Amino acid sequence: MAEILVQAASDLVGKTLGESGLRERDISALTLQRGTNVIPNPSDRHVLEAGDRLLSFGKLEEMRSMIPSRRRRTRKVKKLPAEPIHEV
């Protein structure tokens, strides 16, 4: 079991649960939480919105694959000046 958060940039936004492809990935939505409302056993006709939380049951590997990979933080290294810096 896992909670899937529908991010604003997700391709799930605007799709119904039936169109989402969750069932093809062997993932079942047990509840849909939208704000303070919880919809138990949501139907395939529910349209997903950004910020929705799906309490889901299914293959752990499939649910993990839906989590966007974290972006690596790249540290920008400043180049040292050609001439040494002297304190005045």
Side-chain angles (χ1 to χ4, degrees):
M1 220 186 293
E3 184 178 78
I4 299 171
L5 172 63
V6 180
Q7 300 284 341
S10 173
D11 60 345
L12 296 177
V13 174
K15 291 184 179 178
T16 64
L17 276 172
E19 298 167 336
S20 69
L22 293 176
R23 290 197 188 236
E24 289 79 14
R25 298 172 95 170
D26 292 325
I27 299 172
S28 299
L30 303 175
T31 63
L32 169 70
Q33 180 180 350
R34 181 172 293 152
T36 58
N37 296 327
V38 177
I39 303 165
N41 196 23
S43 73
D44 285 345
R45 295 173 292 148
H46 278 89
V47 178
L48 297 172
E49 297 177 4
D52 285 351
R53 295 180 179 274
L54 298 169
L55 180 61
S56 304
F57 177 80
K59 293 183 178 179
L60 185 58
E61 297 82 23
E62 289 293 333
M63 289 188 281
R64 280 185 179 157
S65 71
M66 297 185 70
I67 299 171
S69 60
R70 293 182 179 176
R71 294 180 183 164
R72 287 188 175 190
R73 292 182 183 177
T74 56
R75 294 183 183 184
K76 294 184 179 181
V77 178
K78 295 181 180 179
K79 292 183 179 181
L80 294 175
E83 298 294 321
I85 301 174
H86 298 286
E87 290 188 31
V88 179

